[in-house]
């Protein structure tokens, strides 16, 4: 359900960015979302579609790159991809583990159409 | 035309949460974001805590619920500042909702503020509100598989209160196995088993709280 709030924040950012291109419409938005964020892509798409009615993002598609969770052991430097963020090294059993990726929740780029070149 | 953006989607919330945090620091208020499932015992914990600490600190509560003010009504007899925030469907509190609630509290008259989040194991973990510590309460009746099913909340919390341990004799809850799973997700997360009904373990929670407040220098 936090997808609704995420969609609202996303819409605010996109409207702010697109304001520099008068008359432009957004056709595609690329996002990177890490596995740890517990975001359901379909719910986010649905929420975004609903709140986009009548806005510059109406009809825009969301391209969501799901970033896997990767972890690194600070003892043996092993790097691995995990389904669940267990912070224990499967190699040496070390418990000093850092998250390399999987926490992303960011917008990467926008595809816009029909805009005048920005001022 | 493609425009590169690269911005954090929840950046607006982060900004407001940081402003809240700065305000709390300025006023010398220690703030706990209390999170857990519906029925885990958030309000019972607050009842126990307020009862025990009312002579030590001036406390306030922000209650987040989707609807009703039942939790706030339960706490009303303690005569401390309580603000009810009804999220109207939203499954968590965010920085902005808490900022709105703060307007109704005299911040000069509070040392310790509890923000009881909406009952939910997922969404509240995503939204900072300006808290000093996130404290999670989980009851043994929810089952020992919750850490790996809802890892984010276990990873962002500073303390896990395992409530309703008076029911352990009637359940197949593997306490050792549960604690090991929690350690695998977050080695720094301290677990305090307690029962808000019998009071067992509550002193340990109060000790933890006193120590954290002293660390903050309130």
């Amino acid at each position: 359900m936090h997808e609704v709030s995420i969609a609202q924040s996303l819409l605010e950012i996109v409207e702010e960015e697109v304001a520099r291109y008068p008359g432009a419409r957004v056709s595609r938005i690329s996002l990177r979302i890490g596995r740890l964020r517990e975001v359901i892509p379909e719910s986010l798409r649905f929420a975004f579609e609903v709140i986009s009615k009548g806005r510059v993002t109406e009809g825009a598609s969301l391209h969501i790159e799901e970033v896997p969770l990767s972890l690194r052991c600070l003892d043996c430097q092993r790097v691995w991809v995990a389904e669940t963020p267990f912070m224990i090294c499967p190699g040496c059993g070390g418990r000093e583990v850092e998250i390399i990726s999987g926490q992303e929740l960011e917008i990467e780029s926008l595809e816009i159409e029909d805009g005048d070149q920005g001022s | 035309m493609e425009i590169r953006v690269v911005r954090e989607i929840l950046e607006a919330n982060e900004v407001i949460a940081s402003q809240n945090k700065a305000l709390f620091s300025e006023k010398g208020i220690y703030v706990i974001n209390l999170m857990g499932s519906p029925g885990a015992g958030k309000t019972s914990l607050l009842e126990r805590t307020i009862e025990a600490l009312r002579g030590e600190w001036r406390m306030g509560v922000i209650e987040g619920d989707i609807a009703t003010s039942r939790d706030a009504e339960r706490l009303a007899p303690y005569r401390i500042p309580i603000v009810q925030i009804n999220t109207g469907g939203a499954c968590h509190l965010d920085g902005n909702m808490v900022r709105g609630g703060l307007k109704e509290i005299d911040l000069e008259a509070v040392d310790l503020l509890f923000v009881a989040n909406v009952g939910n194991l997922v969404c509240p973990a995503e939204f900072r509100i300006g808290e000093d510590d996130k404290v999670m309460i989980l009851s043994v009746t929810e089952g020992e598989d919750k850490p790996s099913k809802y890892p984010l909340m276990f990873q962002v919390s500073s303390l896990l209160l395992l409530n309703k341990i008076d029911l352990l004799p009637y359940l197949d809850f593997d306490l050792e196995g549960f604690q090991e799973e929690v350690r695998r997700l977050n080695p720094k997360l301290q677990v305090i088993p307690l029962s808000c009904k019998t009071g067992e373990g509550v002193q340990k929670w109060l000790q933890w709280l006193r120590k954290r407040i002293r660390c903050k220098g309130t």
Side-chain angles (χ1 to χ4, degrees):
Chain A
M1 265 295 286
H2 54 167
E3 286 82 2
V4 177
S5 302
I6 292 169
Q8 274 158 351
S9 302
L10 177 61
L11 177 60
E12 281 165 29
I13 291 177
V14 172
E15 287 187 327
E16 199 181 302
E17 293 287 337
V18 174
R20 289 183 285 152
Y21 305 90
R25 298 199 62 77
V26 181
S27 55
R28 179 177 145 119
I29 303 165
S30 297
L31 310 175
R32 299 181 78 235
I33 302 183
R35 182 182 174 83
L36 263 183
R37 302 310 288 256
E38 296 173 1
V39 170
I40 301 166
E42 275 321 302
S43 302
L44 180 59
R45 282 201 182 88
F46 176 70
F48 192 72
E49 189 187 320
V50 170
I51 63 169
S52 286
K53 292 257 155 61
R55 315 291 275 265
V56 289
T57 53
E58 183 163 353
S61 65
L62 286 190
H63 179 260
I64 301 173
E65 180 192 342
E66 293 179 68
V67 184
L69 172 66
S70 10
L71 304 171
R72 179 189 325 178
C73 172
L74 298 180
D75 292 332
C76 72
Q77 301 305 317
R78 180 187 179 121
V79 172
W80 71 100
V81 171
E83 290 293 304
T84 307
F86 287 135
M87 309 299 273
I88 296 178
C89 176
C92 73
R95 286 180 179 242
E96 288 292 318
V97 172
E98 68 172 0
I99 297 169
I100 307 172
S101 73
Q103 292 179 301
E104 298 78 359
L105 185 55
E106 59 196 27
I107 174 167
E108 203 173 37
S109 65
L110 302 174
E111 188 72 42
I112 60 170
E113 287 167 4
D114 301 324
D116 307 331
Q117 286 299 316
S119 48
Chain B
M1 175 174 55
E2 191 188 20
I3 311 173
R4 292 280 299 171
V5 178
V6 192
R7 285 170 66 175
E8 290 287 327
I9 295 175
L10 296 180
E11 62 180 21
N13 186 63
E14 292 295 310
V15 169
I16 297 171
S18 299
Q19 290 166 348
N20 288 349
K21 189 166 173 99
L23 178 64
F24 295 140
S25 292
E26 183 197 321
K27 304 287 183 191
I29 304 172
Y30 171 80
V31 182
I32 282 196
N33 181 358
L34 180 61
M35 308 180 293
S37 311
K42 292 182 287 300
T43 309
S44 301
L45 180 78
L46 291 180
E47 287 174 322
R48 281 274 179 190
T49 308
I50 295 164
E51 184 70 49
L53 297 181
R54 61 206 300 192
E56 272 172 75
W57 282 293
R58 299 170 304 166
M59 290 171 279
V61 175
I62 293 181
E63 267 288 344
D65 286 291
I66 288 177
T68 83
S69 56
R70 288 194 187 164
D71 289 351
E73 285 158 21
R74 272 176 67 185
L75 298 174
Y78 296 102
R79 300 185 169 280
I80 61 169
I82 299 170
V83 176
Q84 176 76 50
I85 299 179
N86 282 136
T87 62
C91 47
H92 58 271
L93 292 174
D94 62 22
N96 197 38
M97 291 185 235
V98 169
R99 180 161 73 177
L102 291 176
K103 290 180 187 139
E104 295 171 47
I105 293 185
D106 177 6
L107 296 179
E108 305 294 342
V110 172
D111 311 308
L112 172 53
L113 180 67
F114 295 100
V115 180
N117 219 309
V118 179
N120 183 332
L121 275 185
V122 182
C123 313
E126 287 279 356
F127 297 86
R128 284 202 312 129
I129 54 169
E131 67 276 61
D132 292 288
D133 282 303
K134 287 181 161 76
V135 171
M136 174 182 180
I137 184 164
L138 184 88
S139 56
V140 292
T141 50
E142 291 168 63
E144 66 210 17
D145 58 349
K146 292 301 167 289
S148 48
K149 284 176 90 169
Y150 301 92
L152 186 63
M153 188 161 290
F154 290 85
Q155 292 199 308
V156 299
S157 296
S158 316
L159 177 69
L160 167 58
L161 299 171
L162 183 66
N163 191 22
K164 307 188 189 178
I165 54 167
D166 52 300
L167 295 177
L168 281 174
Y170 312 103
L171 303 168
D172 298 321
F173 190 94
D174 173 7
L175 188 57
E176 280 300 306
F178 172 80
Q179 288 183 313
E180 175 54 24
E181 183 145 300
V182 169
R183 276 194 293 274
R184 290 169 73 195
L185 283 169
N186 181 354
K188 296 188 183 85
L189 180 58
Q190 194 186 337
V191 181
I192 299 179
L194 53 73
S195 165
C196 291
K197 186 177 174 70
T198 66
E200 188 183 353
V202 170
Q203 280 306 325
K204 280 192 181 147
W205 146 245
L206 297 175
Q207 279 163 15
W208 183 92
L209 194 55
R210 286 187 183 104
K211 198 172 151 203
R212 299 296 289 187
I213 298 170
R214 268 185 225 115
C215 287
K216 170 128 197 220
T218 300

